[in-house]
Amino acid sequence: MREVVVSRHGSPDVMEVRESPVPQPGAGEVRIRVKAAGVSFLDVLSRAGHFPDAPRPPFIPGFEVSGYVDAVGLGPGRHEVGRHVLALTKYGGYADMVVAPAEYAFGVPSNLSHNEAAAVPISYLTALLALYRMANLKGGETVLVQGAGGGVGTAALQLARLRRAAVLGTASVSKHNALRSFGVDHVLDHDSADLERDVLRITGGRGVDVVLDALGGDHVLRGYRMLAPLGRLVSLAAQDMVPGQHRGLVRSLQAHWQAPRFGVADLMNDNRAVFGLHVLRLWNERRLVAGAMEALLTDLASGRLKPVIAKTFPLARAADAHKFIQDRGNIGKVVLTV
């Protein structure tokens, strides 16, 4: 089978296409013939050497796939050969074939394509747990999504609107029209010096109830300052830590050192809460993860949620997909097609 391997830490060009034997599913596992694989910023961080949980090179990136069950390991039957599934994988997704826990493979609603199904697991699971579980977003509240143009951001916009929250979204100016088309109430530039003043003006001086931050660095502290009393901030990732064509290494290092540290006394005095979410660290919380995925699939099947695909690349062009994400060119999810 073909697989994309990170040969060493570094730029996107360290990834190579190799041939390897077809993996065999063990007890409680299924083998999936992959048709599409999601590309997440966790893949970029892993390849660049900024993700401590990543295996040492060489390794196959990829945490989410869509395809057909090709073989079933020993154990109670949950899936049949030929079933269309999406799955969470702990690496290995950039390949023709992947083995995944049967518990983390889910039947795909008939209204989703392979590309849309592969766009679901990481982005929607992250956004749901952040907004619904940690922030406990309620109808009538106001949420600010920092980095609203990415895969997690576009998922969060949809989930926030399902809760009937007022939605503010930040992104680079080139993405503003697209965000408006998604129904965002107020679209802002996350690099604007006037961002905090604009948010306070929009909210009548109160601030927002929830901030979802996928950028990291000084954006986290700015988001904290924009919280209303009893506001909640959820920090998801650190996109600014990875340089791109238009974002230099110096800025990426600054993002690392600018990440704030919050003291308990400050949180008490400010009546605010700060959460951190690292969805892969929930790998062993199988009941929690499966329950969240089933809830998402119900809304996807009904059409209340609809994955936004920014661009697709053939599997062999995984390096180009990473460059596209690093240059922040995507509005929605980037997907590899097999």
Side-chain angles (χ1 to χ4, degrees), residues 12-335:
D13 295 325
V14 302
M15 293 190 290
E16 339 176 319
V17 178
R18 298 181 181 176
E19 292 285 339
S20 69
V22 174
Q24 300 301 317
E29 296 179 330
V30 293
R31 186 174 69 210
I32 299 167
R33 184 178 297 276
V34 177
K35 302 299 291 183
V39 181
S40 74
F41 214 85
L42 291 173
D43 300 331
V44 174
L45 291 171
S46 298
R47 188 215 72 231
H50 297 317
F51 188 31
D53 288 356
R56 293 175 61 86
F59 66 88
I60 306 169
F63 300 104
E64 51 195 345
V65 300
S66 169
Y68 296 106
V69 173
D70 181 72
V72 178
L74 297 175
R78 174 184 169 91
H79 301 287
E80 297 178 353
V81 171
R83 188 185 191 195
H84 183 197
V85 296
L86 58 80
L88 286 156
T89 62
K90 202 167 187 181
Y91 293 94
Y94 292 16
D96 288 336
M97 297 279 195
V98 66
V99 169
E103 293 173 283
Y104 280 175
F106 304 89
V108 174
S110 60
N111 60 328
L112 291 187
S113 68
H114 286 297
N115 293 345
E116 290 170 331
V120 169
I122 294 297
S123 293
Y124 279 86
L125 181 62
T126 299
L128 181 141
L129 292 176
L131 289 178
Y132 291 4
R133 184 68 180 257
M134 287 182 158
N136 194 25
L137 181 68
K138 301 293 187 183
E141 291 191 313
T142 302
V143 58
L144 171 65
V145 180
Q146 297 245 61
V152 174
T154 52
L157 297 177
Q158 295 179 17
L159 288 165
R161 291 183 65 81
L162 281 185
R163 284 286 167 101
R164 301 187 183 280
V167 183
L168 286 65
T170 73
S172 56
V173 175
S174 63
K175 300 182 181 182
H176 284 192
N177 286 338
L179 295 187
R180 291 189 186 97
S181 74
F182 298 154
V184 178
D185 298 299
H186 299 278
V187 182
L188 303 163
D189 181 359
H190 52 226
D191 288 325
S192 170
D194 297 326
L195 177 61
E196 294 175 49
R197 185 180 66 185
D198 290 342
V199 168
L200 289 175
R201 172 182 54 80
I202 291 167
T203 59
R206 182 175 179 272
V208 296
D209 298 293
V210 175
V211 171
L212 196 65
D213 181 81
L215 300 175
D218 62 341
H219 295 284
V220 178
L221 188 56
R222 295 180 78 188
Y224 181 82
R225 292 196 295 260
M226 291 183 278
L227 286 175
L230 301 184
R232 294 86 73 195
L233 182 148
V234 185
S235 181
L236 304 176
Q239 292 186 13
D240 274 7
M241 286 178 58
V242 179
Q245 182 178 345
H246 307 293
R247 187 181 300 260
L249 180 60
V250 172
R251 178 168 174 179
S252 300
L253 292 172
Q254 286 176 339
H256 176 77
W257 294 112
Q258 288 172 345
R261 308 294 189 268
F262 296 97
V264 174
D266 294 329
L267 296 174
M268 292 171 59
N269 291 333
D270 293 337
N271 286 306
R272 295 168 177 165
V274 176
F275 298 90
L277 177 59
H278 185 335
V279 71
L280 291 182
R281 290 287 182 94
L282 296 173
W283 184 259
N284 292 325
E285 298 291 329
R286 301 206 170 184
R287 182 176 298 178
L288 168 68
V289 172
M293 285 297 304
E294 294 290 357
L296 286 168
L297 289 165
T298 297
D299 283 333
L300 287 159
S302 70
R304 290 189 292 269
L305 297 174
K306 181 72 171 176
V308 178
I309 306 299
K311 193 170 183 178
T312 63
F313 294 83
L315 180 66
R317 290 181 56 203
D320 291 335
H322 277 221
K323 291 174 185 176
F324 183 63
I325 288 181
Q326 281 188 228
D327 289 340
R328 279 66 175 179
N330 60 302
I331 300 173
K333 190 74 173 181
V334 176
V335 173

